[in-house]
Every structure is written in structure tokens, then in C-alpha cells.
Amino acid sequence: MRAVRALGITAAAVSLCVTAVGCTTADDAGAVSVLCSNDADICAQWAHDFTRSTGTSVSMVRLPTSEALSRLEHAGDEPEFDIWHGGPAEFYSRAADEGLLEAYDPAGSSRIPARLRDPGQRWTGVYASVLALCSDPAHLDRLGVPQPTTWEDLLDPRLRGFVVASSPRTSGTAYTLMFTQYQRLGLEGAQGYLRSLYAQVQQFTRSGTAPAGVVASGEAAVAITFSPYCSSPDRGTGQLRVTVPADGTGYEVGAVALLHGAPHPEQARRYVDYAVSPRGQTASHEIGIDQLPTDSTLPGDISGLLEDPGSGILGSDVEDRADKHDVLIGWFTDGGFDG
């Protein structure tokens, strides 16, 4: 496989500190320290909203999900953070197995279906998103390519070098893509498909929320990302078109968790309560990113899609996705995709 260019992204998209009133540190009295694995604007909105509603300031660092888990694993006996917020729950399942999370039953968790939270109360699903194709119709017209509606459409030779995806080395979204192909095609079939797909990719971004921005900038024609990041006028992606692949797609359950040994446990529990609350689950809507809530009492919650056989969403649970992680990611990092 030819070399692909890694996307250069700003420090603000990889590691940032945000609060409603300025940057704080984890040592500030009354502050809560959050490791955030979601879109940078959503992380900032969560911090701002929590501070506005509680008066507690937030020190926040943003890292893609795989990088965030690695940082937690290497913290040792001196944890940096109180909370991990955002990113697919299968990574939280692994963190829980490694003793990195603290059990906590937040207020309102009973409104979230059992399949979307940890039975041991170590993490709770607080939003969901469907994996989708995010296309620029004008760019596709220039290439003479119809809007892709299936995964197989991405293998059109005319799209070679015009597809952008996130890196399995750093991104939870990228793992969702891999697991989706495993569900559709089995292990060998998924490896074969991914080998062909990665040959089409122009660049791998570190973050799973970044590909839509690459397409919006005109650098590529199709992004693979979760649907909320595809068509937001507030983010300059309003001209893009979202397609849920007709041959089946996956989804994420984004989680929140109290970290073991949290330096500020009281503030941390308040933050988890906020993240689980209707206000926390809909905060992203304020900036034009419509993540799906997990709270079954809120309009448009993910359960309706998961229970609809016509939605195109491939059924799986968090443990299924966690179990295949090392096999699929190991295949990529060991160069198996190079064929």
C-alpha cells in the first residue's frame, strides 16, 4: 500500500484546556479535571455548560480515544484526571477491566437502557452516533462519481486519493469502521475490504471527528465519520451530504466515567451527574452537532434506531466490540493491511 499522509492538526484539536472563565489546572481549588475524547467544540461546550450550571471550573485536555486510553494506562499511581468523557464505550470497557475506572451510579442512570451502560456502574453511555459517509456533492461531480451509498462504493477507482478516514492507531471512530466491516464480512473478508479501502485513503486523521472538516475544506470528496459531524452549518460543513451505508453500518455509544483515584472525587461525581443528565446529553445541540441521547425519555434517543430493523444499523453490544479490538487493531498496526 502506498504511504498516506497523516493530517496535521492544530494543538487545540489534540490537547486543550478550556473553561468558561479561562484556563485552569487540575490543582486549582474546586476545579474538576476532564480527559475529553470528543470533538473539540463539544468538549468546550461541556466544560462551559457544566461551569455555568454548577459554578465549578473545568480543566480539560482533549485526546482521541485510543490516545486517551494509553495516557490513562501510563499514569501509574498519580492520576492526572478526575473524569473521562467521550469516545466509544468499548474503550471504557477495557479501561474498566484494567482497574482504571471507579464504580459510580449517577443520578438519572435508570433512564438509560442497560445495554448502554456498564453493569458494574464503571461507565455510562451518554450519547450515540451512527457511522456514515460524508460527501461533498460538488467535489463528486468534478470527479464524475455519484454519491456513495454503500461501503463498496468507496472502492470506485475514481475515488482513489479522495477519501479521508481516521487512523486506527489513535481514533475510536476508526475502530468502529473496522468492527463494522468485521460484522458485515467476517474477519478475512473485513481484512480484504479494509486493505482495498485504505488504498483509497488520501490521509488518516488522528481524530475521528476531523475527516468531515477535511472534506469541507475541499481536500477530499468523501469522509468516513460519525454522522453528527457531517452536516453542521455552524461548523462550515452544511454543504456536505450524509449517507448511512445501505449495506449496514455501525454506531458508537459515547461514555463518561469517574476515574480511579480521582484527585477531586466530589466534583467529579457532580460532573458525571451532569453528563448523564438531559442537559449534558443535549449540550452539543447548542453548537449545531446533533448527537443522539441515550436517555430513553429524550426525543430522538438512540434506542429507536437500534430497535428499528430498517435503520441499517448492525446490532452489537459493547462487549462484542471490545472483544475484537486487539485482533483488528493488531492487524493494522502490524502492517497486515499492506498485503
Side-chain angles (χ1 to χ4, degrees), residues 121-178:
Q121 302 178 337
R122 295 164 297 180
W123 58 263
T124 306
V126 290
Y127 67 87
S129 306
V130 176
L131 191 65
L133 310 181
C134 186
S135 305
D136 180 353
H139 203 147
L140 290 173
D141 285 346
R142 292 194 294 272
L143 295 173
V145 179
Q147 181 172 324
T149 60
T150 69
W151 293 111
E152 298 303 320
D153 288 345
L154 294 182
L155 304 185
D156 188 320
R158 293 170 294 180
L159 283 177
R160 188 178 180 91
F162 293 100
V163 177
V164 61
S166 53
S167 172
R169 297 179 186 274
T170 56
S171 164
T173 306
Y175 177 66
T176 303
L177 169 62
M178 300 181 85

Side-chain angles (χ1 to χ4, degrees), residues 47-311:
H48 173 80
D49 195 47
F50 176 72
T51 299
R52 183 176 58 187
S53 61
T54 66
T56 301
S57 58
V58 178
S59 169
M60 183 171 281
V61 171
R62 181 185 179 274
L63 286 175
T65 313
S66 289
E67 288 191 37
L69 177 57
S70 179
R71 184 153 170 174
L72 294 174
E73 289 171 334
H74 288 89
D77 296 328
E78 299 182 1
E80 300 177 78
F81 303 101
D82 298 298
I83 297 294
W84 189 14
H85 192 183
E90 53 265 32
F91 292 81
Y92 287 71
S93 177
R94 178 169 174 172
D97 289 344
E98 295 176 8
L100 300 175
L101 309 183
E102 194 75 37
Y104 176 59
D105 186 18
S109 65
S110 62
R111 298 190 301 267
I112 298 171
R115 67 186 294 187
L116 306 180
R117 49 190 168 92
D118 177 44
Q121 302 178 337
R122 295 164 297 180
W123 58 263
T124 306
V126 290
Y127 67 87
S129 306
V130 176
L131 191 65
L133 310 181
C134 186
S135 305
D136 180 353
H139 203 147
L140 290 173
D141 285 346
R142 292 194 294 272
L143 295 173
V145 179
Q147 181 172 324
T149 60
T150 69
W151 293 111
E152 298 303 320
D153 288 345
L154 294 182
L155 304 185
D156 188 320
R158 293 170 294 180
L159 283 177
R160 188 178 180 91
F162 293 100
V163 177
V164 61
S166 53
S167 172
R169 297 179 186 274
T170 56
S171 164
T173 306
Y175 177 66
T176 303
L177 169 62
M178 300 181 85
F179 186 80
T180 296
Q181 307 317 316
Y182 166 76
Q183 285 185 282
R184 288 200 313 123
L185 304 168
L187 182 58
E188 290 187 9
Q191 291 171 345
Y193 173 81
L194 290 166
R195 190 177 295 114
S196 298
L197 175 63
Y198 292 153
Q200 301 282 82
V201 171
Q202 176 199 96
Q203 55 186 276
F204 288 123
T205 65
R206 290 180 70 185
S207 166
T209 65
V214 178
V215 173
S217 73
E219 295 181 60
V222 183
I224 303 170
T225 187
F226 289 113
S227 59
Y229 314 115
C230 279
S231 57
S232 170
D234 295 347
R235 296 164 55 84
T237 58
Q239 82 279 16
L240 305 184
R241 297 294 176 265
V242 182
T243 306
V244 175
D247 39 359
T249 196
Y251 69 102
E252 71 165 337
V253 176
V256 68
L258 174 67
L259 293 171
H260 179 70
H264 308 95
E266 181 178 349
Q267 296 96 318
R269 286 189 286 269
R270 291 181 70 194
Y271 185 95
V272 175
D273 288 343
Y274 157 77
V276 172
S277 73
R279 180 169 182 158
Q281 291 201 24
T282 58
S284 67
H285 299 183
E286 296 187 33
I287 54 173
I289 303 175
D290 293 333
Q291 293 177 326
L292 304 175
T294 59
D295 185 328
S296 60
T297 68
L298 294 176
D301 70 292
I302 184 63
S303 294
L305 285 176
L306 296 180
E307 294 165 4
D308 178 4
S311 69

